Amino acid sequence: MRLTTMTDYALRLLMYVAQHPDRLCTIAEVADAYAISEGHLMKITQLLGRAGWLETVRGKGGGIRLGAPVNEINIGAVVRSVEPDFYLVDCLAGGTSCRLRGHCRLTGVLNGALGAFLEHLDRHTLADLLPADIRWMTNHYP
């Protein structure tokens, strides 16, 4: 299983913003901190904003902040909202003509592995990804 770069950057963006609860963060500063394209981060910010993980403030002095407390931002839910699909092999996408159809148990095994992966992510929140000295600020979020 390999997550897309977009998911990696989305999680990094959330972690960065979570570590600065006292102010609005800008896409430019996050892009600089992680050496990521601002244009790419803009798209990710919009996606996370639509999902409610981030709140965006437009205009002069605007920026981004978390849309929920860190202990309410579930990592599994974030990954599901960003990843385009979880097809580990073509046959999981459906509509394919596999010669092994009816005789193959691979899809069941892979679906089980995927389920375990997502189940593990579901047990964690953004708070779990933050350094220990930042976790105390959990109650300072919207």
Side-chain angles (χ1 to χ4, degrees):
M1 167 99 211
R2 182 178 174 115
L3 298 176
T4 62
T5 303
M6 191 166 195
T7 300
D8 177 24
Y9 292 171
L11 292 170
R12 290 184 199 199
L13 176 59
L14 290 171
M15 290 167 57
Y16 186 93
V17 172
Q19 292 179 66
H20 300 90
D22 54 334
R23 64 180 178 81
L24 293 172
C25 297
T26 67
I27 290 172
E29 77 180 85
V30 178
D32 186 52
Y34 293 131
I36 300 171
S37 147
E38 284 187 43
H40 200 64
L41 268 182
M42 205 170 297
K43 292 176 191 172
I44 294 168
T45 299
Q46 290 171 347
L47 179 67
L48 293 175
R50 282 193 303 267
W53 308 124
L54 286 178
E55 181 181 321
T56 59
V57 178
R58 294 181 178 260
K60 185 175 178 168
I64 50 179
R65 64 177 154 237
L66 293 180
V70 292
N71 59 348
E72 292 179 17
I73 298 178
N74 181 274
I75 300 305
V78 171
V79 168
R80 284 180 187 90
S81 72
V82 176
E83 279 297 311
D85 66 59
F86 289 100
Y87 305 136
L88 301 178
V89 291
D90 289 340
C91 57
L92 292 177
T96 61
S97 57
C98 178
R99 292 179 183 216
L100 300 175
R101 182 164 283 162
H103 305 289
C104 178
R105 295 171 141 175
L106 178 61
T107 55
V109 171
L110 293 177
N111 273 332
L114 176 61
F117 174 74
L118 292 171
E119 205 173 284
H120 182 76
L121 293 180
D122 287 339
R123 291 193 297 263
H124 296 280
T125 67
L126 183 57
D128 296 324
L129 305 182
L130 300 176
D133 60 327
I134 300 289
R135 290 185 191 170
W136 71 270
M137 291 189 266
T138 299
N139 295 328
H140 296 212
Y141 286 89

